[in-house]
Amino acid sequence: MLPSTEDRKNVVATLFKLVAASALAGVLIALIALPVVGSTGLTARDEFDDFMNIEVPKIDRDPAKQTLVYGADNKLLVSFFDQYRREVKLDKVAPVMQEAMVAIEDARFFKHGALDLKGTFRALAKNVTSGGTQEGGSTLTQQLAKNKLVNDTTSKEGYEKVTAPTLDRKLKELRLAVYLEQKLTKKEILEEYLNIANFGAGAYGVEAASQRYFSKPASKLTLAQAATLAGITKNPYQLDPIRNKVDSKKRRDTVLQRMADLGVVPQADADAAKKQGLGIKEYKPKGGCVTSKSPFFCQYVYGDLVKYFMGTKKPKDAAEAQSMRDEAADKILRGGYVIRTTFDPDVQKAADYGVKYSTTPTAWRTNVVAVVEPGTGKVLAIASSKKYGSKKGQTTINLAADQAHGGGSGVSAGSTFKTFTLMEALDQGLPIRTNFHSPSSMTVQGFSDCAYTGPPIKYLSKDGRMGGGPWTVANSDPGENKNYNMKDGTWHSINTFYAQLEKKVGVCAAVKMAEKFGMVRADGNPLWTVPSQVLGSNEIDIVHLAAAYAGIAARGKYCAPTSLTSITDSDGKKLDLPKADCSQAVDPQIADATSQILEGVISHGTGVGLGIGRPAASKTGTCEEHSCAVFAGYTPQLAAASATWDFRGGPSHPMPGIFGATIPGPVWQRTMLKALEGKPVLDFKAPTKDFGDIVTKGIPDVRGMDLPEALARIKGAGFAVKVDPRPVKSDVPFGKVARTSPSGQADEGATVTIYISAGNGGRPDGGGHDRPDGNTWPF
């Protein structure tokens, strides 16, 4: 029977004093406030109908669950979570835990509906007479409803609204509780409550709490442990047994006594449990990349997940883009997904081993390396010589990656970008024997006009297009001053040769070739179409550089780098991943010819000494004023790129003496050697197409001949020829050809230098001298 009208009026008078702390507001509204504030002619039926016509609050968010990320070896790589929670079925919760929770929170739980009138009015009477809140009256179902409403909030304002001491809030809470009683069984309600409740110390749900405090599953809880956990939910902060053992133990003993009073457990068992200590065996849950053994790969995965959950919709502005990123992050931290990745622990160990090479122990300098699988784009490993963290000398910037994956502004590509100009030249049909006289320094102008992207430069035309130059470029070694072709120009990384080759093929065409292999700036913007791009003036990320070279290794099939292989949601449903982003960037023959040339970098060029005991192709790169150095290379089954630099950036923080082969080269070498241990040795496919390669021919032996005859013989053999103006001391008769350089064999079209004999009477240093008769030499 309902209480009298007078009683109800008295209760309403105290409602606003107690509503913030009392769990009785729901029943006060539904069964007390409405009859008083409504018309005296309303019937109980009318009141019930009005209440049931209230819209049930919509719950859009499930309780947060951990997202678990696994490597290719099926071992846990990292977990992401907003709340430490492990969902568990009721039959996996010890019966004594279920009994303890019901006893202390809602002893009549299995006997009433959403509202327990008897318990409510008993608590109400006690609270009113005492002038404060001494006893709660809300049911487990009402508490579940409140938890759901709190969990559904995504902002501080939303949280304040669903916890505010208002009639409207309590009315919605009770309406949801009634709905839950209609929809779920009592055991389902108990299961949901046990999985959503806050148990303090960052633990949500009984399974997480059991692990957090006792390092055991909820199915193994003892009576004392169950009573401890059941007591926490009243005030998760104050009753946290780690930070407040005294209050937690008192509350535990209260729960034990309540269980005994209700006959749930014998008094003797309760007394015995009270004598026990709390027995805390703490487990500290670890989540996020800072806890991963491979934090930089972890960051890359997180970036890929954000991209996936953002979807294909293009944000209209920066604000919408940020909102989309926030929503994606919320899914990762709360969604309970199971993620499978491309992470290869053996390759990661190799990369970690590699970056330890010759790292200067300063706060800013770093080595990084990324490893990508040709033909799939799978990112297998990412390593940095910097430790992940916020302490001095550490970093949380994923320096090997682009900004979308936690990286910074990137690093200059150095001469590794010459490879794209090389491929463009081959694609346009230029023969490998194409050569230019390449002095130690030169000014190049007359670049073909094309659409320009990049910072302001002095040689833009009035309409903003690139125009023709001039651009002054120099070689790193002043002694590099002769004719070079595509082979030796690449092997020795001749800047003036590549400036001329780039002019020949066109800057924009060379840039488009790089773009075909996935190259963009590290900030996500397009590459700058400037002549200096061939020398690496674009800041790029090392993961994409490794992926680009993996595309050459795969005979021109470029696949965008990815770290994800599968995503399964919390219900066990496998989600669709986008198909691998692969395309045939160039004809396989072009890639084969490029690989054949790049093999010579290690055997004949700037990478000599960096061999790995099997066929490998590579390119070194040194940045302007030695501000950084880069190395990229591959075998048919593995590609890697490495860089060393001061990540404050630019020539203002140089590393004197550094080259692509001095630090990043050995980092690459050590990584590849270890990663390829036990793997089959594979050869690159030789191109079957004629790319106009250099033909090595024998140089005629013209020693002792007169100059005109020697000139004719050498030119007739297909070589260019010049005569050194300084005679040299020689046993060959005076005025005859003393020797040539080179001698023996040379590439067809190469320049052969003839030296004329000064006889044995030359200068002591072996140099030439004037003719004895005082006349000039005949050349």
Side-chain angles (χ1 to χ4, degrees), residues 316-372:
K316 61 184 179 182
D317 53 33
E320 184 176 34
Q322 185 59 53
S323 176
M324 291 170 66
R325 283 191 290 269
D326 290 344
E327 289 179 12
D330 190 67
K331 288 183 178 179
I332 297 168
L333 295 175
R334 299 176 58 89
Y337 297 94
V338 175
I339 312 296
R340 304 287 175 183
T341 72
T342 58
F343 177 76
D344 187 316
D346 292 332
V347 178
Q348 183 65 50
K349 288 178 184 177
D352 290 336
Y353 170 75
V355 295
K356 292 178 181 178
Y357 177 82
S358 189
T359 302
T360 305
T362 70
W364 299 105
R365 294 184 182 181
T366 186
N367 293 337
V368 299
V369 67
V371 186
V372 176

Side-chain angles (χ1 to χ4, degrees), residues 202-242:
Y204 291 80
V206 67
E207 179 69 14
S210 185
Q211 294 287 352
R212 180 76 176 90
Y213 298 122
F214 304 114
S215 298
K216 61 164 57 175
S219 61
K220 304 294 185 182
L221 289 168
T222 65
L223 171 60
Q225 291 167 342
T228 300
L229 297 187
I232 295 172
T233 58
K234 179 183 179 182
N235 189 329
Y237 179 77
Q238 180 64 25
L239 299 173
D240 172 355
I242 294 174

